[in-house]
Amino acid sequence: MHHYTLKTSAKLPNWKAELANAVTSVAELLRLLELDPDDGMVLPKPGFRLLVPRGFVNKMQAGNPDDPLLRQVLPLAVERALGGYRDPVGDLDAMPSPGLVHKYRGRVLLLTTGACAIHCRYCFRRHFPYASANPCKSQWQQALDYLKAHADIEEVILSGGDPLVVDNDKLGQLLDALEQISHLRWLRIHTRLPVVLPARIDDALTLQLRQRRFRTTLVIHANHANELMCDEADALQRLATSGVTLLNQSVLLKGVNDSATTLIALSKRLYEFGVLPYYLHLLDPAEGVMHFDVPQSRAIAILDALQAALPGFLVPRLVREIPGAASKTAIFTI
Ligand SMILES: *Cc1c(COP(=O)(O)O)cnc(C)c1O
Ligand code: SF4
């Protein structure tokens, strides 16, 4: 475990200070983990920059270059070697208004911000043009107008980026505006913050969620049981006691969680923390991520093993996103 002192102003709320103090230098990350800084596999100055909060680094094992949490954030030279697409799931063709992605009946994604608290190397939105499609800025009203005009939309899903990087005041304004739209009944938030920056789940946030008429679901994103330790349990507990339903989505990632043992441990840890597994996504083939790809045949074998070892409610749905499909496409074992 590593100890550090905050360099930033003590006046910021805890989570903002932690975010401002996150590790952004590859050299520093390697030093903190006592790893060889001259490792030729590493990409020292990646275009999609390194960003990882120190609390997440503390959950990594020093001296282990294959640590499953480190693998998720460490830029590697191999990112430049393989193929992949800039817009792998066709988001840009499904945006009726900037930052609003409407693919499936009854629900829409609202890309609330382009910012995240961690940069995941496998992210399929690595190349998303957030600068021109960010409804929390100038195009907010346009997204709300679209929602108002479509009475069949029952659920709004805040996504990003990470919607909980938005501060409580601004998030409150967005939720106020959404609450005015009477046909919206359900609120969903897709966020990694309870896992990577649990201090974000502060009282002001749980109050924001509690006082709403929406039925609210928060879908966290953890790929490995090591991501869930003590602080995350407290954060999740606070959300659960605020009446929020907690689910998890993971991405199946080579070298991180592509084994039944690892995913069984993750499902059990999630359940201990009050969270049910929802989706296990096959990798979306974005440029720079292909070294994480797990073949579908292997994914099916892993799913088989999960089904043989866990109660049904702890087996995530294995899915792939196919552009143009009416939902995520489930992959079954036979
Ligand atoms: C994944 C996704 C959703 C959510 O799908 P669910 O199956 O309801 O979880 C909604 N909209 C878009 C554009 C998505 O990519
Ligand atoms: S937190 Fe989500 S959106 Fe942000 S980099 Fe990671 S996977 Fe991508």
Side-chain angles (χ1 to χ4, degrees):
M1 295 291 134
H2 312 285
H3 297 276
Y4 57 90
T5 46
L6 291 182
K7 283 180 250 158
T8 37
S9 160
K11 289 197 191 91
L12 287 172
N14 267 349
W15 71 272
K16 285 194 181 177
E18 271 183 60
L19 188 52
N21 192 41
V23 179
T24 55
S25 140
V26 172
E28 186 189 2
L29 180 62
L30 295 175
R31 184 157 33 78
L32 287 170
L33 293 170
E34 299 158 28
L35 290 170
D36 180 3
D38 297 321
D39 186 339
M41 314 279 281
V42 168
L43 198 58
K45 295 228 175 332
F48 179 54
R49 73 180 174 123
L50 173 88
L51 178 68
V52 53
R54 283 166 207 270
F56 197 80
V57 177
N58 288 346
K59 294 185 271 190
M60 298 174 187
Q61 187 190 24
N64 179 8
D66 299 323
D67 181 275
L69 277 57
L70 176 64
R71 284 280 152 202
Q72 296 180 46
V73 299
L74 184 67
L76 296 180
V78 68
E79 292 180 18
R80 299 207 170 142
L82 303 167
Y85 302 93
R86 307 284 297 181
D87 178 22
V89 295
D91 276 347
L92 301 182
D93 294 333
M95 275 202 298
S97 154
L100 194 102
V101 187
H102 193 183
K103 288 182 180 171
Y104 306 149
R105 184 173 299 169
R107 54 219 198 272
V108 293
L109 278 191
L110 188 57
L111 306 186
T112 317
T113 171
C116 295
I118 187 167
H119 284 175
C120 313
R121 302 318 296 175
Y122 54 84
C123 181
F124 72 97
R125 287 213 184 97
R126 276 173 69 144
H127 311 286
F128 193 83
Y130 289 111
S132 60
N134 186 344
C136 219
K137 302 215 173 110
S138 53
Q139 292 138 341
W140 206 5
Q141 193 53 47
Q142 205 182 324
L144 292 169
D145 289 344
Y146 181 89
L147 290 172
K148 274 179 210 153
H150 290 79
D152 59 318
I153 299 172
E154 292 181 298
E155 182 180 33
V156 60
I157 304 170
L158 305 186
S159 182
D162 197 308
L164 291 188
V165 169
V166 177
D167 68 28
N168 290 322
D169 287 347
K170 207 162 174 192
L171 197 65
Q173 289 164 25
L174 177 60
L175 295 178
D176 287 344
L178 292 171
E179 237 180 355
Q180 303 291 309
I181 303 173
S182 58
H183 55 265
L184 294 178
R185 303 162 64 200
W186 303 335
L187 170 69
R188 205 194 311 178
I189 301 177
H190 283 181
T191 176
R192 269 208 107 176
L193 280 251
V195 174
V196 303
L197 203 67
R200 172 66 186 94
I201 313 305
D202 54 16
D203 291 342
L205 176 66
T206 50
L207 187 66
Q208 277 295 349
L209 299 177
R210 250 203 319 264
Q211 69 195 11
R212 305 286 164 188
R213 66 173 173 81
F214 296 126
R215 162 130 332 249
T216 300
T217 299
L218 205 129
V219 184
I220 66 166
H221 171 179
N223 299 306
H224 193 285
N226 291 3
E227 291 171 52
L228 297 167
M229 307 285 210
C230 303
D231 296 349
E232 299 77 28
D234 295 344
L236 293 165
Q237 183 62 44
R238 281 197 294 280
L239 287 162
T241 52
S242 306
V244 174
T245 299
L246 295 172
L247 303 174
N248 180 62
Q249 54 183 340
S250 309
V251 184
L252 185 60
L253 299 166
K254 186 173 166 190
V256 173
N257 61 5
D258 58 332
S259 86
T261 315
T262 301
L263 289 173
I264 290 166
L266 173 61
S267 273
K268 290 181 176 177
R269 183 71 57 87
L270 286 165
Y271 188 42
E272 293 295 331
F273 282 37
V275 182
L276 290 178
Y278 179 38
Y279 280 144
L280 175 61
H281 296 269
L282 290 181
L283 187 75
D284 293 318
E287 200 177 288
V289 314
M290 296 312 290
H291 56 294
F292 286 113
D293 194 40
V294 177
Q296 182 164 312
S297 56
R298 182 157 163 68
I300 289 174
I302 291 172
L303 183 66
D304 258 334
L306 294 189
Q307 273 168 341
L310 290 167
F313 63 88
L314 291 186
V315 181
R317 263 156 278 191
L318 179 65
V319 291
R320 172 189 289 289
E321 181 161 354
I322 299 175
S327 69
K328 303 283 189 279
T329 300
I331 291 158
F332 296 102
T333 66
I334 31 167

